[in-house]
Amino acid sequence: DGGITQSPKYLFRKEGQNVTLSCEQNLNHDAMYWYRQDPGQGLRLIYYSQIVNDFQKGDIAEGYSVSREKKESFPLTVTSAQKNPTAFYLCASSFTSVQETQYFGPGTRLLVL
Amino acid sequence: DAKTTQPTSMDCAEGRAANLPCNHSTISGNEYVYWYRQIHSQGPQYIIHGLKNNETNEMASLIITEDRKSSTLILPHATLRDTAVYYCIVRVWEGAQKLVFGQGTRLTINP
């Protein structure tokens, strides 16, 4: 089955702790994206990557970090600097970063203990 | 960013056509209109997109006005499983494509 997978489905973070959310795709897509969704709100772009070993900040990158060492993988780390991390995190990918439809994973819900 | 305006909520009877409107009066000539939907606690699902011509696929039809300032998503025979939040999005280019999500329309299909 081709698609985008995110793990875990639920994640709990203690105060001061860094946590990493996984995003994997086997669609052979070059571009990958991370969005954050707060209750009752639309999605906001955190980071995006157009190609391996390259990534750019989105609208709300503060307190987050990413890496893109492999085409298939784009993990997101929520650092302790992110003061309000509780949200639904969505990963997406597209063939290229230009004029291509983005497809989304099932999401990870992050909760702070 | 081009902004979109959608009704907060809509209801439709099962089996009828659901028509979801969207205004995007500041859209630029090369910006596409995309529609996604999101069922509670799931990732958004792509439905359809278009530039200026009307489009149809197995899920829905997209009607874009000639001046491109508004569009309508049509689900021809709505089922209970079509209950979701529907997002009308104008895709912009800012170094990479960016989907600007608003709050969407909560569509409820009633039996």
Side-chain angles (χ1 to χ4, degrees), chain B residues 1 13 15 17 23 25 27 29 37 45 49 52 54 56 58 60-61 70-71 75 81 83 85 99 103 106:
Chain B
D1 292 348
N23 287 321
S25 58
I27 193 170
R37 71 182 182 185
Q45 178 189 21
H49 73 282
K52 48 185 164 184
N54 297 338
T56 295
E58 64 279 2
S61 295
S70 65
S71 60
L75 307 178
R81 283 181 289 186
T83 293
V85 177
L99 299 180
Q103 297 194 357
R106 183 171 299 279

mmCIF file of all heavy atoms in Angstrom, chain B residues 1 13 15 17 23 25 27 29 37 45 49 52 54 56 58 60-61 70-71 75 81 83 85 99 103 106:
data_model
loop_
_atom_site.group_PDB
_atom_site.id
_atom_site.type_symbol
_atom_site.label_atom_id
_atom_site.label_comp_id
_atom_site.label_asym_id
_atom_site.label_seq_id
_atom_site.Cartn_x
_atom_site.Cartn_y
_atom_site.Cartn_z
ATOM 1 N N ASP B 1 -1.428 36.549 1.060
ATOM 2 C CA ASP B 1 -2.092 35.290 0.722
ATOM 3 C C ASP B 1 -3.513 35.557 0.292
ATOM 4 O O ASP B 1 -4.186 36.414 0.848
ATOM 5 C CB ASP B 1 -2.151 34.375 1.948
ATOM 6 C CG ASP B 1 -0.778 33.894 2.357
ATOM 7 O OD1 ASP B 1 0.155 34.078 1.571
ATOM 8 O OD2 ASP B 1 -0.660 33.340 3.448
ATOM 9 N N ALA B 13 -29.611 16.808 3.205
ATOM 10 C CA ALA B 13 -30.263 15.514 3.384
ATOM 11 C C ALA B 13 -29.513 14.441 2.608
ATOM 12 O O ALA B 13 -29.006 14.680 1.500
ATOM 13 C CB ALA B 13 -31.712 15.599 2.916
ATOM 14 N N GLY B 15 -28.613 11.631 0.168
ATOM 15 C CA GLY B 15 -29.097 11.359 -1.178
ATOM 16 C C GLY B 15 -29.246 12.597 -2.047
ATOM 17 O O GLY B 15 -29.373 12.482 -3.270
ATOM 18 N N ALA B 17 -27.936 16.481 -3.446
ATOM 19 C CA ALA B 17 -26.656 17.112 -3.789
ATOM 20 C C ALA B 17 -26.302 18.146 -2.724
ATOM 21 O O ALA B 17 -27.137 18.940 -2.320
ATOM 22 C CB ALA B 17 -26.753 17.776 -5.152
ATOM 23 N N ASN B 23 -15.886 31.863 -1.458
ATOM 24 C CA ASN B 23 -15.485 33.118 -2.090
ATOM 25 C C ASN B 23 -13.983 33.293 -1.987
ATOM 26 O O ASN B 23 -13.399 33.074 -0.921
ATOM 27 C CB ASN B 23 -16.184 34.304 -1.419
ATOM 28 C CG ASN B 23 -17.641 34.364 -1.779
ATOM 29 O OD1 ASN B 23 -18.018 34.104 -2.918
ATOM 30 N ND2 ASN B 23 -18.479 34.677 -0.820
ATOM 31 N N SER B 25 -12.181 36.262 -3.611
ATOM 32 C CA SER B 25 -12.223 37.432 -4.484
ATOM 33 C C SER B 25 -10.848 38.011 -4.789
ATOM 34 O O SER B 25 -10.688 38.760 -5.753
ATOM 35 C CB SER B 25 -13.116 38.508 -3.880
ATOM 36 O OG SER B 25 -12.652 38.869 -2.602
ATOM 37 N N ILE B 27 -8.106 36.241 -5.468
ATOM 38 C CA ILE B 27 -7.284 35.209 -6.108
ATOM 39 C C ILE B 27 -6.524 35.782 -7.303
ATOM 40 O O ILE B 27 -7.040 36.637 -8.034
ATOM 41 C CB ILE B 27 -8.172 34.018 -6.531
ATOM 42 C CG1 ILE B 27 -7.321 32.806 -6.896
ATOM 43 C CG2 ILE B 27 -9.112 34.412 -7.656
ATOM 44 C CD1 ILE B 27 -8.124 31.536 -7.093
ATOM 45 N N GLY B 29 -4.211 35.260 -10.942
ATOM 46 C CA GLY B 29 -4.471 34.491 -12.151
ATOM 47 C C GLY B 29 -3.856 33.109 -12.191
ATOM 48 O O GLY B 29 -4.365 32.219 -12.866
ATOM 49 N N ARG B 37 -11.261 17.756 2.584
ATOM 50 C CA ARG B 37 -12.188 17.579 3.683
ATOM 51 C C ARG B 37 -11.482 16.840 4.801
ATOM 52 O O ARG B 37 -10.524 16.101 4.574
ATOM 53 C CB ARG B 37 -13.450 16.836 3.255
ATOM 54 C CG ARG B 37 -13.263 15.350 2.945
ATOM 55 C CD ARG B 37 -14.584 14.767 2.493
ATOM 56 N NE ARG B 37 -14.482 13.336 2.239
ATOM 57 C CZ ARG B 37 -15.485 12.618 1.745
ATOM 58 N NH1 ARG B 37 -16.661 13.188 1.456
ATOM 59 N NH2 ARG B 37 -15.325 11.328 1.538
ATOM 60 N N GLN B 45 -8.339 15.024 3.539
ATOM 61 C CA GLN B 45 -8.409 14.197 2.335
ATOM 62 C C GLN B 45 -8.591 15.102 1.128
ATOM 63 O O GLN B 45 -9.497 15.939 1.094
ATOM 64 C CB GLN B 45 -9.589 13.223 2.452
ATOM 65 C CG GLN B 45 -9.784 12.348 1.230
ATOM 66 C CD GLN B 45 -11.080 11.546 1.289
ATOM 67 O OE1 GLN B 45 -12.019 11.890 2.004
ATOM 68 N NE2 GLN B 45 -11.131 10.456 0.537
ATOM 69 N N HIS B 49 -9.317 19.893 -7.439
ATOM 70 C CA HIS B 49 -8.770 21.234 -7.595
ATOM 71 C C HIS B 49 -8.996 21.718 -9.017
ATOM 72 O O HIS B 49 -9.280 20.916 -9.932
ATOM 73 C CB HIS B 49 -7.286 21.285 -7.229
ATOM 74 C CG HIS B 49 -6.356 20.646 -8.220
ATOM 75 N ND1 HIS B 49 -6.190 19.283 -8.304
ATOM 76 C CD2 HIS B 49 -5.556 21.186 -9.158
ATOM 77 C CE1 HIS B 49 -5.296 19.000 -9.237
ATOM 78 N NE2 HIS B 49 -4.904 20.143 -9.790
ATOM 79 N N LYS B 52 -9.363 27.360 -13.752
ATOM 80 C CA LYS B 52 -10.455 28.199 -14.250
ATOM 81 C C LYS B 52 -11.568 27.396 -14.904
ATOM 82 O O LYS B 52 -12.698 27.862 -14.970
ATOM 83 C CB LYS B 52 -9.950 29.269 -15.217
ATOM 84 C CG LYS B 52 -9.019 28.794 -16.289
ATOM 85 C CD LYS B 52 -8.514 30.000 -17.067
ATOM 86 C CE LYS B 52 -7.286 29.656 -17.889
ATOM 87 N NZ LYS B 52 -6.739 30.843 -18.578
ATOM 88 N N ASN B 54 -14.263 24.173 -15.100
ATOM 89 C CA ASN B 54 -14.967 23.274 -14.189
ATOM 90 C C ASN B 54 -14.303 21.905 -14.230
ATOM 91 O O ASN B 54 -13.802 21.477 -15.276
ATOM 92 C CB ASN B 54 -16.441 23.172 -14.589
ATOM 93 C CG ASN B 54 -17.149 24.508 -14.469
ATOM 94 O OD1 ASN B 54 -16.706 25.393 -13.741
ATOM 95 N ND2 ASN B 54 -18.235 24.658 -15.192
ATOM 96 N N THR B 56 -14.422 17.674 -12.731
ATOM 97 C CA THR B 56 -15.214 16.592 -12.131
ATOM 98 C C THR B 56 -14.324 15.380 -11.944
ATOM 99 O O THR B 56 -13.501 15.071 -12.812
ATOM 100 C CB THR B 56 -16.413 16.223 -13.033
ATOM 101 O OG1 THR B 56 -17.301 17.339 -13.101
ATOM 102 C CG2 THR B 56 -17.178 15.035 -12.464
ATOM 103 N N GLU B 58 -14.332 11.373 -9.439
ATOM 104 C CA GLU B 58 -15.245 10.379 -8.873
ATOM 105 C C GLU B 58 -15.860 10.827 -7.546
ATOM 106 O O GLU B 58 -16.846 10.259 -7.100
ATOM 107 C CB GLU B 58 -14.517 9.042 -8.691
ATOM 108 C CG GLU B 58 -13.372 9.058 -7.699
ATOM 109 C CD GLU B 58 -12.080 9.615 -8.282
ATOM 110 O OE1 GLU B 58 -12.088 10.034 -9.456
ATOM 111 O OE2 GLU B 58 -11.079 9.629 -7.546
ATOM 112 N N ALA B 60 -16.420 14.408 -6.657
ATOM 113 C CA ALA B 60 -17.142 15.678 -6.649
ATOM 114 C C ALA B 60 -16.960 16.426 -7.964
ATOM 115 O O ALA B 60 -16.191 16.012 -8.822
ATOM 116 C CB ALA B 60 -16.617 16.540 -5.501
ATOM 117 N N SER B 61 -17.702 17.538 -8.060
ATOM 118 C CA SER B 61 -17.512 18.487 -9.162
ATOM 119 C C SER B 61 -17.152 19.834 -8.580
ATOM 120 O O SER B 61 -17.587 20.186 -7.471
ATOM 121 C CB SER B 61 -18.795 18.616 -9.991
ATOM 122 O OG SER B 61 -19.108 17.407 -10.642
ATOM 123 N N SER B 70 -15.204 33.142 -7.120
ATOM 124 C CA SER B 70 -15.893 32.201 -6.250
ATOM 125 C C SER B 70 -15.970 30.836 -6.920
ATOM 126 O O SER B 70 -15.765 30.721 -8.138
ATOM 127 C CB SER B 70 -17.300 32.697 -5.902
ATOM 128 O OG SER B 70 -18.106 32.736 -7.060
ATOM 129 N N SER B 71 -16.254 29.837 -6.101
ATOM 130 C CA SER B 71 -16.402 28.489 -6.634
ATOM 131 C C SER B 71 -17.398 27.722 -5.771
ATOM 132 O O SER B 71 -17.741 28.153 -4.656
ATOM 133 C CB SER B 71 -15.046 27.767 -6.665
ATOM 134 O OG SER B 71 -14.494 27.659 -5.369
ATOM 135 N N LEU B 75 -21.150 17.770 -4.147
ATOM 136 C CA LEU B 75 -21.176 16.331 -3.885
ATOM 137 C C LEU B 75 -22.518 15.847 -4.405
ATOM 138 O O LEU B 75 -23.558 16.159 -3.819
ATOM 139 C CB LEU B 75 -21.045 16.044 -2.393
ATOM 140 C CG LEU B 75 -19.864 16.692 -1.677
ATOM 141 C CD1 LEU B 75 -19.902 16.358 -0.181
ATOM 142 C CD2 LEU B 75 -18.560 16.238 -2.285
ATOM 143 N N ARG B 81 -21.423 9.381 5.260
ATOM 144 C CA ARG B 81 -19.965 9.405 5.382
ATOM 145 C C ARG B 81 -19.344 10.673 4.815
ATOM 146 O O ARG B 81 -18.144 10.892 4.963
ATOM 147 C CB ARG B 81 -19.366 8.183 4.678
ATOM 148 C CG ARG B 81 -19.516 6.898 5.483
ATOM 149 C CD ARG B 81 -18.897 5.732 4.795
ATOM 150 N NE ARG B 81 -19.656 5.336 3.617
ATOM 151 C CZ ARG B 81 -19.393 4.259 2.880
ATOM 152 N NH1 ARG B 81 -18.367 3.493 3.185
ATOM 153 N NH2 ARG B 81 -20.124 3.966 1.834
ATOM 154 N N THR B 83 -20.194 13.551 5.937
ATOM 155 C CA THR B 83 -20.178 14.500 7.046
ATOM 156 C C THR B 83 -18.724 14.774 7.445
ATOM 157 O O THR B 83 -17.986 13.862 7.797
ATOM 158 C CB THR B 83 -20.958 13.952 8.256
ATOM 159 O OG1 THR B 83 -22.339 13.870 7.911
ATOM 160 C CG2 THR B 83 -20.771 14.845 9.473
ATOM 161 N N VAL B 85 -15.603 18.437 7.803
ATOM 162 C CA VAL B 85 -15.289 19.849 7.576
ATOM 163 C C VAL B 85 -14.624 19.960 6.212
ATOM 164 O O VAL B 85 -13.664 19.242 5.925
ATOM 165 C CB VAL B 85 -14.353 20.413 8.666
ATOM 166 C CG1 VAL B 85 -13.991 21.865 8.362
ATOM 167 C CG2 VAL B 85 -15.000 20.303 10.033
ATOM 168 N N LEU B 99 -0.392 25.769 1.294
ATOM 169 C CA LEU B 99 -1.844 25.674 1.417
ATOM 170 C C LEU B 99 -2.260 26.495 2.627
ATOM 171 O O LEU B 99 -1.851 26.212 3.742
ATOM 172 C CB LEU B 99 -2.272 24.222 1.596
ATOM 173 C CG LEU B 99 -1.930 23.266 0.456
ATOM 174 C CD1 LEU B 99 -2.423 21.859 0.787
ATOM 175 C CD2 LEU B 99 -2.532 23.740 -0.854
ATOM 176 N N GLN B 103 -11.082 28.178 8.279
ATOM 177 C CA GLN B 103 -11.802 27.357 9.255
ATOM 178 C C GLN B 103 -12.764 26.380 8.603
ATOM 179 O O GLN B 103 -13.296 25.504 9.271
ATOM 180 C CB GLN B 103 -12.527 28.237 10.262
ATOM 181 C CG GLN B 103 -11.555 29.073 11.088
ATOM 182 C CD GLN B 103 -12.207 29.682 12.303
ATOM 183 O OE1 GLN B 103 -13.395 29.539 12.522
ATOM 184 N NE2 GLN B 103 -11.427 30.382 13.102
ATOM 185 N N ARG B 106 -18.434 23.183 8.120
ATOM 186 C CA ARG B 106 -18.821 21.901 8.713
ATOM 187 C C ARG B 106 -20.100 21.432 8.050
ATOM 188 O O ARG B 106 -21.172 22.014 8.262
ATOM 189 C CB ARG B 106 -19.017 22.056 10.221
ATOM 190 C CG ARG B 106 -19.353 20.745 10.935
ATOM 191 C CD ARG B 106 -19.326 20.906 12.447
ATOM 192 N NE ARG B 106 -18.010 21.301 12.922
ATOM 193 C CZ ARG B 106 -16.993 20.468 13.123
ATOM 194 N NH1 ARG B 106 -17.154 19.170 12.895
ATOM 195 N NH2 ARG B 106 -15.838 20.901 13.564
#
